[in-house]
């Protein structure tokens, strides 16, 4: 059963916040300040926009379609009939407009890929893509609310109001060889290096279907006739609930090893099995993962985490021995802790998955932090008195992602700060500064989400979580360490007394003539 999302902390009034700070000034302020800055007091980077969005560049306002009456939204009569293989009501109306306009200009155009797959299995598509015989430049000439993107191959994006984008691609052929799906690769055509370097060879609809990665993603839907076009036996695999490559599995995986991650994501998301020959090819191609562009590996890894299938996805990646290239500290943790480590990491991943499935949008830094909490609890710290309290392996992972995988530095820094906050949230570590100011920290809510996942995964810390969610603060655990550095003398009310204490009101007491509290 999915765990309900954690409650958001109650907003404190100014009086309550001051009361909390005053109370802490009496009981805990002797440890509140020390030499050196608190890492959590550093500037907090803003979160980056979602990196899996279709349009990475700013879109001129003029391109967003606001008056689409010039596009025909009617569904052809054949598709609207009871014999249509997909309910016309389930189709995106703007995608239908694009298909109709392409037809009106003499081009073939079909819905393609994931939207057809999802509709056939009863799921709601994330978006609708179109494949057409029109060249990218011809698509651009047909739609005034369109522009071309892409370097590896050109795609057309057609823009609609509310930020919707319909992606239109031109039919392409396999740039290496256009083989029959079941045909073996001739010996003379085999190569040690099959990575795709050019994917801009135009072709027919059937060639375009066969160049795709998996049979379940190679289905086309003809809106005008209301029928599915299946050139690759994708409907068979949908019925059998299998993820299978189109063509020779070994060759397809070696062409693009990122397909390993895509197969894991589709299998986990749809709860499909991976066809045995495809799985064997995935195992054989794992060693080729380092040859792929690091940003692509990172993005497809995060797509698994963002999709609410982190638990099954990570388990499958670990079984394939792919985690050592994707998330090395997690791989080390699992190999060192065996079955118990797998159980623990799965519990943390399920806690994050539950929130995603409940409709929450968790930023990448939160997802990464949730998975690193169990590793942080077992790895040695970088130094005995390290103020960050983040293990060296975690620091190394974040820095390596920044350097090689182009992980935005702000994601790495936000993740690091969330991990720093966990000891304070759990009541295991005092913090420089008041807990009232901690509650106002820009990453407090995100850090609390990470802590809530920890509570659900471990069953520990429920009282502390409830205290934070109610606007209070937990009682510090006995023996919890103070922040490193020199302690400041406890501040007294009404002035500084005692020898060398500085000036004080006449009469040697607090204002009003009363003696200072003892």
């Amino acid at each position: 059963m999915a765990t309900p999302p954690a409650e958001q902390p109650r907003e404190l009034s100014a009086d309550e916040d001051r009361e909390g700070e005053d109370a802490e000034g009496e009981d805990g302020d002797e440890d509140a300040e020390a030499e050196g800055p608190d890492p959590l007091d550093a500037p907090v980077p803003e979160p980056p926009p979602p990196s899996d969005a279709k349009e990475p560049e700013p879109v001129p306002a003029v391109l967003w379609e606001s008056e689409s009456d010039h596009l025909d939204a009617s569904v052809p009569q054949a598709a609207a009939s009871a014999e249509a293989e997909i309910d016309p009501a389930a189709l995106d109306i703007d995608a239908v407009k694009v298909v109709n306009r392409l037809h009106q200009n003499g081009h073939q155009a079909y819905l393609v890929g994931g939207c057809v797959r999802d509709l056939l299995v009863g799921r709601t598509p994330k978006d609708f893509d179109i494949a057409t015989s029109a060249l990218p430049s011809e698509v651009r000439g047909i739609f005034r609310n369109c522009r071309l993107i892409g370097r590896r191959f050109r795609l057309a994006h057609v823009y609609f109001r509310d930020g919707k984008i319909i992606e239109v691609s031109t039919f392409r052929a396999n740039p290496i060889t256009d083989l029959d799906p079941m045909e073996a690769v001739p010996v003379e055509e085999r190569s040690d290096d099959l990575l795709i370097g050019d994917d801009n060879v135009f072709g027919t609809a059937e060639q375009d279907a066969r160049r795709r990665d998996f049979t379940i993603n190679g289905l086309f839907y003809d809106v005008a006739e209301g029928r599915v076009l299946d050139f690759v036996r994708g409907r068979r695999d949908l019925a059998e609930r299998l993820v299978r490559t189109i063509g020779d599995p070994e060759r397809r995986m070696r062409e693009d090893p990122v397909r390993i991650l895509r197969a894991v994501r589709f299998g986990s998301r749809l709860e499909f099995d991976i066809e045995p020959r495809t799985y064997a090819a995935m195992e054989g191609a794992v060693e080729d993962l380092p040859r792929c562009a690091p940003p692509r590996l990172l993005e497809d890894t995060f797509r698994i985490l963002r999709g609410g299938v982190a638990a099954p996805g990570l388990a499958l990646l670990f079984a394939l021995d792919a985690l050592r290239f994707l998330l090395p500290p997690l791989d080390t943790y699992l190999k060192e802790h065996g079955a118990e480590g797998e159980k623990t990491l799965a519990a943390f991943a399920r806690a994050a998955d539950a929130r995603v499935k409940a409709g929450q949008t968790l930023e990448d830094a939160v997802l990464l932090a949730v998975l690193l909490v169990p590793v942080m609890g077992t790895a040695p710290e970088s130094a005995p008195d390290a103020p960050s309290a983040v293990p060296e392996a975690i620091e190394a992972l974040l820095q390596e992602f920044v350097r090689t995988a182009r992980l935005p530095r702000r994601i790495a820094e936000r993740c690091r700060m969330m991990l720093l906050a966990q000891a304070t949230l759990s009541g295991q570590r005092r913090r420089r500064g008041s807990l009232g100011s901690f509650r106002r920290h820009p990453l407090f809510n995100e850090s609390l989400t990470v802590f809530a996942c920890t509570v659900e995964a471990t069953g520990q810390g429920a009282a502390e979580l409830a205290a934070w969610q109610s606007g209070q603060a937990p009682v510090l655990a006995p023996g919890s360490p103070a922040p490193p550095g020199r302690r400041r003398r406890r501040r007294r009310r009404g002035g500084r007394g005692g020898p060398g204490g500085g000036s004080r009101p006449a009469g040697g007491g607090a204002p009003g003539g009363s003696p200072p509290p003892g």
Side-chain angles (χ1 to χ4, degrees), residues 46-221:
E46 289 295 321
S51 56
D52 62 345
K54 278 188 173 181
E55 182 58 50
E57 300 294 334
V59 178
V62 69
L63 286 179
W64 293 107
E65 180 64 40
S66 59
E67 297 178 359
S68 54
D69 293 340
H70 67 288
L71 296 179
D72 179 12
S74 62
V75 178
Q77 186 62 37
S81 71
E83 297 179 359
E85 295 189 63
I86 293 178
D87 182 4
L91 304 180
D92 182 89
I93 192 63
D94 293 319
V96 172
K97 293 176 183 178
V98 173
V99 168
N100 287 348
R101 171 59 69 90
L102 289 167
H103 283 167
Q104 292 165 6
N105 282 268
H107 300 290
Q108 293 177 297
Y110 307 108
L111 300 180
V112 66
C115 64
V116 181
R117 176 200 67 217
D118 288 347
L119 288 170
L120 290 175
V121 298
R123 300 176 66 98
T124 301
K126 176 184 175 182
D127 45 39
F128 284 75
D129 295 337
I130 293 170
T132 179
S133 59
L135 298 177
S137 58
E138 292 174 322
V139 178
R140 176 65 185 88
I142 292 172
F143 298 95
R144 69 188 186 197
N145 52 317
C146 169
R147 77 171 176 183
L148 303 183
I149 68 159
R151 294 181 179 178
R152 183 177 169 188
F153 53 83
R154 304 291 279 169
L155 297 170
H157 278 183
V158 183
Y159 302 92
F160 292 87
R161 72 180 76 187
D162 300 324
K164 181 191 294 185
I165 297 173
I166 303 297
E167 187 170 277
V168 182
S169 62
T170 302
F171 298 148
R172 287 175 170 82
N174 192 310
I176 299 177
T177 178
D178 186 25
L179 298 175
D180 182 89
M182 304 306 294
E183 184 178 344
V185 180
V187 174
E188 60 272 14
E189 293 185 15
R190 294 177 185 172
S191 169
D192 290 335
D193 189 357
L194 298 178
L195 288 178
I196 294 176
D198 179 15
D199 202 12
N200 231 10
V201 179
F202 299 126
T204 65
E206 183 173 353
Q207 289 174 326
D208 189 71
R210 292 185 177 183
R211 62 165 283 278
R212 294 174 182 267
D213 48 11
F214 304 106
T215 60
I216 58 176
N217 293 338
L219 298 170
F220 288 51
Y221 186 67

Side-chain angles (χ1 to χ4, degrees), residues 30-44:
E30 64 181 62
D31 292 327
E33 294 182 9
E35 293 179 340
D38 188 327
L40 280 176
D41 289 338
V44 179

Side-chain angles (χ1 to χ4, degrees), residues 278-327:
T278 298
Y279 187 86
M282 291 164 64
E283 289 182 307
V286 161
E287 297 291 339
D288 290 330
L289 283 173
R291 301 170 61 203
C292 299
R296 291 188 66 214
L297 293 178
L298 184 69
E299 175 59 23
D300 273 84
T301 301
F302 270 121
R303 284 179 176 175
I304 294 172
L305 306 184
R306 298 183 200 121
V309 291
L314 290 174
L316 190 49
L317 288 173
F318 180 63
L320 289 163
D321 203 22
L323 276 186
R324 60 192 169 108
F325 299 118
L326 305 171
L327 297 167

Side-chain angles (χ1 to χ4, degrees), residues 446-464:
E446 289 83 353
S447 300
L448 193 60
T449 296
V450 176
F451 183 55
C453 290
T454 301
V455 172
E456 293 171 19
T458 64
Q460 301 175 2
E464 288 80 4

Side-chain angles (χ1 to χ4, degrees), residues 9 93 149 181 233 247 356 374 395:
I93 192 63
I149 68 159
R233 305 178 188 175
V356 173
E395 294 278 12

